Amino acid sequence: MITSLLYRATRALVSVPAVLLRRETAKDAELLVLRHENAVRRRQLTHPIRSEIVASRRPHRKDAARNYDALIVLARDAFAEHGAEASLEDIARCAGVGIGTL
């Protein structure tokens, strides 16, 4: 058990400099891979995602529902067009809401 804890602690300490020393392109590539894996896993889920469950439980005010619908449409378009480079500030501005609402 102690060996296992020492191994995990050593591995964590060694991985920190490795992450800090990687180039930006390697980090960007890893982010794209992780996002792809996340998208694949979401498609494989047979039950609704937690945010969909919460959203379906409570009704939105009319203005909140309008903002939500606009944000979803604009976010999908922005991420489809720009990928990981899509700006959340731009999405909020185009939807006519503040970044806090997003």
Side-chain angles (χ1 to χ4, degrees):
M1 178 148 183
I2 292 175
T3 307
S4 175
L5 289 174
L6 286 173
Y7 172 76
R8 287 183 185 179
T10 305
R11 185 171 170 101
L13 289 173
V14 170
S15 66
V16 170
V19 170
L20 296 175
L21 295 175
R22 284 191 300 184
R23 294 181 182 236
E24 287 299 314
T25 53
K27 292 177 187 177
D28 292 342
E30 184 175 357
L31 278 175
L32 287 174
V33 169
L34 291 172
R35 286 183 177 153
H36 173 71
E37 289 175 351
N38 192 21
V40 169
R41 287 189 182 114
R42 282 179 179 257
R43 277 186 246 128
Q44 292 172 347
L45 290 175
T46 56
H47 58 281
I49 299 170
R50 186 182 188 301
S51 61
E52 293 173 0
I53 293 171
V54 171
S56 67
R57 285 186 187 162
R58 61 179 178 207
H60 290 292
R61 296 183 328 258
K62 287 187 180 186
D63 62 330
R66 186 175 51 248
N67 290 343
Y68 178 82
D69 293 338
L71 285 168
I72 293 297
V73 169
L74 289 168
R76 284 185 180 150
D77 293 344
F79 285 113
E81 184 177 337
H82 301 291
E85 299 298 319
S87 167
L88 296 180
E89 289 84 6
D90 290 342
I91 294 169
R93 188 174 21 83
C94 290
V97 299
I99 192 67
T101 302
L102 174 60

